[in-house]
């Protein structure tokens, strides 16, 4: 095989970890990760990597400077590479046709144009970013329309299934690797070359090869299915809170059915992250464009339910605090969209914080990994607020949970960080205003122990008081 050099355009959450693991497992290949951002590349070359991911520091330390390089010299890396990953961001469009739903492909397009401008010889171009179905075709159109003599391209789709917080493990022990390509001899040859890269550590039986569109759609489908499970369990959490069933018990009973399985059934304040919402919106948009409104509406409901869950939780906080949080001090524990990451993209904490701020609350925020500047950016972003100065005055950020909770009326837990489970809640209770409230948006704390300390506790999918059967029967009779 002739893959000696790989270039990855985009040194983000996908490109960085993926290429670091490729470098670790393929010492015979030189991997160069490039990005437009000087700051990002500087961080990849420093002791403090730009993203927090368990185990990643170790992998980068082992390979950096040997067969793994981070650089802003995009042209040289493209010229020298046999295979180029496109791992740039594909955010949801915020303007124009498809606004709020379609993926914005401007970064993918600019990467494709960079390749078209400088590439020489034969290149395999691999789309790694999650892209709408048929994006490979668009990349190919750009590359072929700018064709120069002596240059040829094969485009592959090789979506990444890693989850943040477990990226290194997901990459090392992937459930499957998916590679889509053209059904031509050249296409098959390119697929084989990429298979060879992965076969350095992934068993061939786990490498699936498909046509390009199946590969692109499978990525959207996998994320849509995962998000759908969370919305399904979250919808039932509302039923539990109104009846007295416990969503954890329901999830366990349901998940023990081997056809359903136990994973992704943890009820929560809502899902976040850069992928689920974006990919489902993308799928909805594609269905609308294909004149499949019923299919579009079906998947849209997964997002609608997630929005409902976030607003239901925020409303519960306000209602419990005597229907007003104006000038109340509220501690927010966790701001990342899930544990073990510093990423806040689409974090449910942003929605909850914004609702509480709109109602006049003062927030005291602590997260073990999110940078304070990121929290402020998220809460003062023009899409979120028209009054950034007011928000800045109402938000304080702390570097430990005890200071963050001191003197507050309530704790709102938004991220399931393990360290929150072992906090000294008696000490926290002693420092809080009374009555002291805990709203556990991740259902991870020991609620009975908190109640024994004296806290008023509310959580997702479980009512701590007995349900009023009269109310249930009353409303059923009305129906
Ligand atoms: C997801 C997919 O899992 C991954 O395969 C894809 O490549 C990218 O998108 P990621 O967004 O990093 O990964 O994290 P994931 O673990 O899927 O969690 C997404 C959100 O769902 C988080 O906010 C998480 O807290 C929430 N979640 C997850 C739940 O609320 N309940 C669950 O049971 C599982
Ligand atoms: P993801 O989660 O998909 O990896 P990120 O936003 O974390 O997305 O990373 C995408 C990276 O791609 C960013 O660092 C951005 O600067 C980079 N990028 C975007 N367009 C280009 C481009 N044309 N050339 C090089 N890097 C790019």
């Amino acid at each position: 095989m002739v893959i000696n050099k790989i270039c990855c355009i985009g040194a983000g959450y996908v490109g960085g970890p993926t290429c670091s693991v490729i470098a670790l497992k393929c010492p015979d290949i030189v991997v160069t990760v490039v990005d437009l951002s000087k700051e990002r590349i500087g961080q990849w070359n420093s002791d403090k990597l730009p993203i927090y991911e368990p185990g990643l520091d170790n992998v980068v330390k082992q390979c950096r400077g040997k067969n793994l390089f981070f650089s802003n010299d995009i042209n040289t890396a493209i010229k020298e590479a046999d295979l180029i990953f496109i791992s740039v961001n594909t955010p949801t469009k915020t303007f124009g046709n498809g606004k709020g739903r379609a993926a914005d492909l401007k970064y993918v397009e600019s990467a494709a144009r960079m390749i078209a401008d400088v590439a020489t010889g034969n290149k395999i171009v691999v789309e790694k970013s999650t892209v709408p179905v048929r994006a490979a075709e668009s990349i190919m159109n750009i590359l072929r329309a700018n064709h120069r003599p002596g240059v040829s391209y094969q485009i592959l789709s090789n979506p990444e299934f890693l989850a943040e917080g477990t990226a290194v493990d997901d990459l090392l022990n992937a459930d499957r690797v998916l590679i889509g390509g053209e059904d031509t001899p050249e296409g098959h040859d390119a697929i084989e070359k990429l298979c060879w890269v992965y076969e350095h550590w992934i068993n061939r039986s786990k490498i699936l090869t498909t046509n390009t569109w199946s590969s692109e759609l499978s990525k959207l489908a996998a994320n849509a299915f995962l998000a759908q499970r969370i919305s399904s369990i979250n919808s039932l959490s509302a039923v539990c809170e109104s009846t007295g069933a416990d969503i954890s018990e329901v999830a366990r009973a349901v998940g023990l059915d081997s056809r359903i399985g136990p994973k992704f059934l943890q009820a929560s304040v809502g899902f976040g992250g850069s992928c689920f919402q974006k990919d489902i919106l993308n799928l909805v948009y594609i269905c609308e464009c294909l004149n499949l409104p019923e299919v579009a509406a079906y998947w849209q409901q997964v997002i609608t339910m997630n929005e409902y869950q976030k607003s239901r939780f925020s409303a519960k906080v306000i209602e419990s605090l005597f229907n007003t949080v104006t000038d109340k001090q509220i501690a927010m524990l966790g701001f990342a969209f899930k544990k073990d990451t510093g990423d806040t993209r689409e974090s449910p904490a942003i929605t909850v914080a914004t609702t509480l701020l709109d109602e006049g609350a003062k927030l005291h925020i602590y997260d073990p990994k999110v940078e304070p500047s990121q929290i402020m950016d998220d809460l003062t972003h023009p899409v979120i607020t028209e009054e950034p100065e007011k928000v800045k005055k109402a938000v304080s950020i702390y570097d430990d949970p005890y200071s963050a909770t001191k003197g507050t009326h309530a704790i709102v837990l938004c991220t399931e960080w393990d360290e929150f489970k072992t906090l000294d809640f008696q000490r926290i209770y002693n420092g809080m205003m009374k009555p002291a409230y805990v709203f556990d948006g991740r259902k991870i704390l020991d609620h009975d122990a908190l109640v024994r300390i004296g806290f008023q506790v509310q959580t997702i999918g479980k009512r701590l008081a007995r349900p009023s059967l009269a109310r249930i029967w009353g409303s059923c009779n009305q129906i």
Side-chain angles (χ1 to χ4, degrees):
M1 288 288 164
V2 286
I3 305 293
N4 295 317
K5 290 195 175 180
I6 289 179
C7 159
C8 173
I9 305 181
Y13 282 90
V14 173
T18 307
C19 283
S20 301
V21 168
I22 291 179
L24 180 76
K25 291 294 177 183
C26 308
D28 49 338
I29 300 178
V30 174
V31 182
T32 306
V33 186
V34 293
D35 203 292
L36 289 171
S37 162
K38 287 210 158 50
E39 189 191 353
R40 231 179 206 196
I41 291 299
Q43 289 168 326
W44 279 108
N45 282 322
S46 75
D47 285 338
K48 189 165 187 262
L49 302 184
I51 60 176
Y52 170 70
E53 197 57 66
L56 183 61
D57 279 22
N58 236 335
V59 175
V60 172
K61 261 186 211 142
Q62 283 183 62
C63 310
R64 197 171 54 195
K66 292 182 188 143
N67 67 329
L68 174 64
F69 300 91
F70 296 93
S71 162
N72 291 116
D73 185 355
I74 302 179
N75 288 354
T76 305
I78 291 176
K79 265 189 217 150
E80 291 182 349
D82 307 302
L83 185 148
I84 303 164
F85 285 115
I86 300 184
S87 269
V88 299
N89 34 337
T90 49
T92 303
K93 273 186 88 171
T94 52
F95 56 86
N97 212 358
K99 174 181 170 183
R101 289 169 306 155
D104 189 343
L105 289 184
K106 69 177 175 204
Y107 301 106
V108 173
E109 185 182 332
S110 90
R113 288 189 188 282
M114 284 174 170
I115 298 171
D117 283 348
V118 299
T120 50
N122 301 331
K123 303 284 181 199
I124 299 173
V125 177
V126 185
E127 56 171 25
K128 204 135 231 354
S129 324
T130 307
V131 285
V133 180
R134 297 204 148 179
E137 205 173 60
S138 314
I139 297 174
M140 185 49 105
N141 285 341
I142 293 173
L143 295 177
R144 291 197 177 144
N146 293 283
H147 180 260
R148 283 177 291 113
V151 188
S152 77
Y153 300 105
Q154 274 304 314
I155 314 293
L156 300 178
S157 157
N158 171 221
E160 185 44 67
F161 294 100
L162 67 79
E164 287 176 33
T166 51
V168 173
D169 196 48
D170 293 343
L171 286 160
L172 289 173
N173 304 299
D175 285 344
R176 79 306 207 182
V177 167
L178 181 58
I179 303 175
E182 275 182 17
D183 192 9
T184 58
E186 297 79 17
H188 292 167
D189 185 53
I191 290 174
E192 275 313 305
K193 285 180 174 151
L194 186 54
C195 284
W196 173 81
V197 173
Y198 284 108
E199 276 180 275
H200 280 73
W201 78 100
I202 304 279
N203 192 293
R204 179 73 197 221
S205 62
K206 289 188 170 181
I207 305 180
L208 264 66
T209 58
T210 65
N211 76 36
T212 316
W213 302 336
S214 299
S215 168
E216 291 176 332
L217 183 59
S218 300
K219 170 66 186 185
L220 295 187
N223 275 345
F225 269 58
L226 290 169
Q228 183 195 43
R229 279 174 78 95
I230 303 170
S231 277
S232 296
I233 204 75
N234 282 346
S235 74
L236 295 173
S237 74
V239 179
C240 289
E241 286 161 42
S242 303
T243 57
D246 178 340
I247 197 62
S248 303
E249 292 177 352
V250 175
R252 183 152 186 270
V254 170
L256 280 172
D257 185 324
S258 60
R259 292 168 303 176
I260 298 173
K263 293 183 182 168
F264 268 69
L265 289 179
Q266 172 70 44
S268 67
V269 52
F271 60 74
S274 70
C275 286
F276 283 175
Q277 174 162 314
K278 180 185 76 176
D279 289 357
I280 293 175
L281 287 172
N282 208 334
L283 184 58
V284 168
Y285 183 67
I286 291 167
C287 294
E288 283 172 358
C289 294
L290 296 172
N291 198 19
L292 299 169
E294 288 80 6
V295 185
Y298 176 77
W299 289 109
Q300 178 65 46
Q301 195 56 28
V302 173
I303 305 227
T304 307
M305 184 52 62
N306 197 46
E307 293 303 315
Y308 171 66
Q309 188 74 349
K310 291 187 277 183
S311 62
R312 206 168 66 79
F313 181 71
S314 312
K316 183 192 283 211
V317 174
I318 296 166
E319 193 189 309
S320 306
L321 295 174
F322 313 105
N323 273 321
T324 174
V325 291
T326 308
D327 288 331
K328 284 194 174 134
Q329 313 292 326
I330 298 183
M332 187 170 247
L333 294 186
F335 201 80
F337 80 95
K338 63 188 271 195
K339 73 171 180 178
D340 291 339
T341 177
D343 194 354
T344 61
R345 288 178 289 178
E346 305 297 340
S347 177
I350 300 175
T351 314
V352 175
T354 306
T355 309
L356 297 176
L357 288 166
D358 282 348
E359 294 283 331
K362 307 280 187 245
L363 296 187
H364 302 237
I365 303 176
Y366 165 71
D367 186 284
K369 286 290 171 202
V370 180
E371 297 292 337
S373 57
Q374 183 64 52
I375 297 178
M376 267 318 173
D377 274 6
D378 288 335
L379 296 180
T380 55
H381 194 278
V383 175
I384 296 280
T385 181
E386 287 166 2
E387 301 176 297
E389 290 312 315
K390 197 169 148 202
V391 167
K392 276 183 197 158
K393 279 194 197 127
V395 175
S396 325
I397 299 168
Y398 294 81
D399 53 17
D400 82 281
Y402 297 101
S403 326
T405 51
K406 202 168 169 42
T408 59
H409 295 83
I411 296 171
V412 177
L413 189 149
C414 287
T415 313
E416 73 281 23
W417 286 101
D418 287 338
E419 67 171 66
F420 295 157
K421 295 185 200 165
T422 52
L423 291 174
D424 180 349
F425 277 100
Q426 182 66 58
R427 178 177 158 199
I428 288 177
Y429 180 78
N430 294 345
M432 286 178 68
M433 312 271 273
K434 307 295 175 329
Y437 286 82
V438 171
F439 300 92
D440 179 0
R442 294 290 185 163
K443 211 167 190 284
I444 57 163
L445 303 178
D446 180 344
H447 303 130
D448 291 340
L450 292 174
V451 170
R452 279 197 300 277
I453 290 173
F455 281 107
Q456 305 283 324
V457 184
Q458 301 261 9
T459 188
I460 301 278
K462 183 179 182 184
R463 223 160 90 153
L464 295 168
R466 276 182 68 79
S468 151
L469 287 178
R471 219 184 90 208
I472 298 174
W473 292 124
S475 48
C476 286
N477 288 341
Q478 277 164 28
I479 296 166

